[in-house]
Amino acid sequence: MASEDNRDANSAMTYTEMMNEGKQRRKDEKMSTNSEITQRIEELERRVDHLQKVIQRQLRIGKDG
């Protein structure tokens, strides 16, 4: 039993296994990049909202002043 487990751990990957591993890594990297982009978009949207509020406040102050 132990020798069978050891044989699987030490065996070389087939061409298909290598290709699938490469695809999986690229997929993981792509998902990570997409996550980073999504976080960046959310941060930029928060900044835009803040700037819009500041501009609206300044416009109100200018009309009142």
Side-chain angles (χ1 to χ4, degrees), residues 47-62:
R47 289 181 180 192
V48 168
D49 289 341
H50 171 74
L51 290 173
Q52 286 175 334
K53 289 176 184 177
V54 169
I55 291 169
Q56 288 172 356
R57 190 178 325 129
Q58 291 295 323
L59 290 173
R60 275 188 259 128
I61 291 172

Side-chain angles (χ1 to χ4, degrees), residues 1-6:
M1 237 359 169
S3 64
E4 289 179 16
D5 293 336
N6 194 18

Side-chain angles (χ1 to χ4, degrees), residues 12-51:
M13 289 194 298
T14 66
Y15 176 79
T16 302
E17 289 170 332
M18 287 189 291
M19 292 296 100
N20 289 339
E21 178 72 19
K23 289 178 184 176
Q24 183 63 41
R25 285 185 185 162
R26 282 188 298 232
K27 184 178 178 183
D28 291 345
E29 290 172 2
K30 187 176 180 180
M31 288 177 63
S32 176
T33 301
N34 286 343
S35 176
E36 292 170 4
I37 291 171
T38 300
Q39 289 175 350
R40 181 75 174 134
I41 288 170
E42 290 170 356
E43 174 63 26
L44 290 171
E45 287 173 343
R46 284 192 294 272
R47 289 181 180 192
V48 168
D49 289 341
H50 171 74
L51 290 173

